Amino acid sequence: ACPPWNETPKYAVLLPISSSADHYDIIGVLVFGVSPRLMFQEDYKTFFELVARQLASIITTAQTYENERKRMESLAQIDHSKTVFFSNVSHELRTPLTLILGPLEDCLSDNEIPLPNEHRVSLSIVQRNALRLLKLVNSLLDFSRIEANRMQAHYEPVDLPSLTLDLASMFRGTIEKSGLRFIVDCPPMNKDVYVDKGMYEKIVFNLLSNAFKFTLQGS
């Protein structure tokens, strides 16, 4: 029955609920009971179609939101897996590197049985490259900590101009050999600045590396 009247609809209208305008993607069917007190004319049909379109729009919006939520959860899971991977790889590489650097430092600093000059030069090259690799591993570990929101800065008072000049000087030879002029303008400051030396070093190195990479001539 159709309150407030007791007549039961004798006819029904079935309209597809589609998520696309061409109705190829049918997600359901909406069943309307036609009132026995109204003639089924164009206006009545238009009303049913309007309700069907509105319902289809609501369902499509909900499906889009759900798909986006699932996509974000998937991306978050990928990011988490990547962070865990970087963290595990960093720890696994750090241990053997530390074990390599220890004996190397002992050999190079042994004054009782000094190394021949040729061996000392070769081992110094090995030490420098092992330290460089250890820095890269530590950078990976820092990256995984940043991803996991566990990165903490350790601030200390630093003579920032002197530190900047010292860090920049490591690039001078490479830059000047390429024919570029290397100008570092760091006037003295009246007081020390609190910075995290490790983080600041990465910032300066990244800036200078990019500047050297994309500067083809000049200074």
Side-chain angles (χ1 to χ4, degrees):
C2 299
W5 299 282
N6 294 323
E7 292 95 338
T8 301
K10 296 180 180 180
Y11 302 99
V13 175
L14 279 67
L15 292 177
I17 301 174
S18 174
S19 60
S20 59
D22 50 18
H23 300 294
Y24 288 144
D25 189 9
I26 304 298
I27 58 178
V29 175
L30 189 59
V31 180
F32 292 98
V34 179
S35 173
R37 290 177 171 268
L38 289 175
M39 292 184 62
F40 188 69
Q41 296 178 338
E42 191 65 29
D43 290 344
Y44 206 174
K45 179 184 175 183
T46 301
F47 169 74
F48 286 157
E49 290 175 345
L50 179 62
V51 173
R53 283 198 296 269
Q54 287 293 106
L55 183 59
S57 176
I58 292 171
I59 294 175
T60 302
T61 301
Q63 287 181 331
T64 302
Y65 174 80
E66 181 65 16
N67 291 336
E68 183 66 17
R69 185 185 65 81
K70 290 180 179 179
R71 189 181 74 87
M72 294 302 294
E73 286 181 355
S74 177
L75 290 175
Q77 182 61 39
I78 292 172
D79 284 342
H80 176 69
S81 300
K82 179 179 64 177
T83 300
V84 172
F85 171 76
F86 280 145
S87 181
N88 291 338
V89 167
S90 300
H91 284 296
E92 290 297 327
L93 290 175
R94 237 175 136 185
T95 301
L97 276 173
T98 303
L99 295 175
I100 290 170
L101 284 167
L104 271 175
E105 290 174 2
D106 292 341
C107 290
L108 291 171
S109 61
D110 190 350
N111 295 323
E112 295 182 3
I113 309 176
L115 292 169
N117 189 52
E118 292 181 0
H119 292 172
R120 178 176 292 277
V121 171
S122 298
L123 288 179
S124 296
I125 294 173
V126 174
Q127 184 189 40
R128 284 199 301 272
N129 284 284
L131 288 171
R132 184 179 301 172
L133 185 57
L134 183 61
K135 274 193 172 184
L136 292 175
V137 170
N138 288 334
S139 295
L140 275 178
L141 191 58
D142 289 343
F143 175 76
S144 66
R145 286 172 179 164
I146 292 171
E147 289 282 304
N149 293 322
R150 290 189 288 108
M151 187 67 177
Q152 292 184 344
H154 301 282
Y155 300 103
E156 57 183 299
V158 171
D159 183 353
L160 199 59
S162 297
L163 177 61
T164 305
L165 288 170
D166 184 50
L167 296 173
S169 65
M170 299 181 186
F171 286 79
R172 183 171 296 280
T174 302
I175 292 175
E176 290 182 346
K177 282 180 182 177
S178 68
L180 297 172
R181 288 182 295 117
F182 187 47
I183 303 170
V184 183
D185 185 12
C186 291
M189 301 178 67
N190 296 328
K191 58 182 179 180
D192 292 343
V193 179
Y194 280 82
V195 298
D196 183 303
K197 292 179 69 174
M199 292 183 180
Y200 185 70
E201 177 181 312
K202 291 182 179 66
I203 292 170
V204 173
F205 283 173
N206 285 334
L207 288 173
L208 290 176
S209 295
N210 289 329
F212 175 61
K213 186 187 303 182
F214 297 106
T215 303
L216 304 180
Q217 60 182 357
S219 60

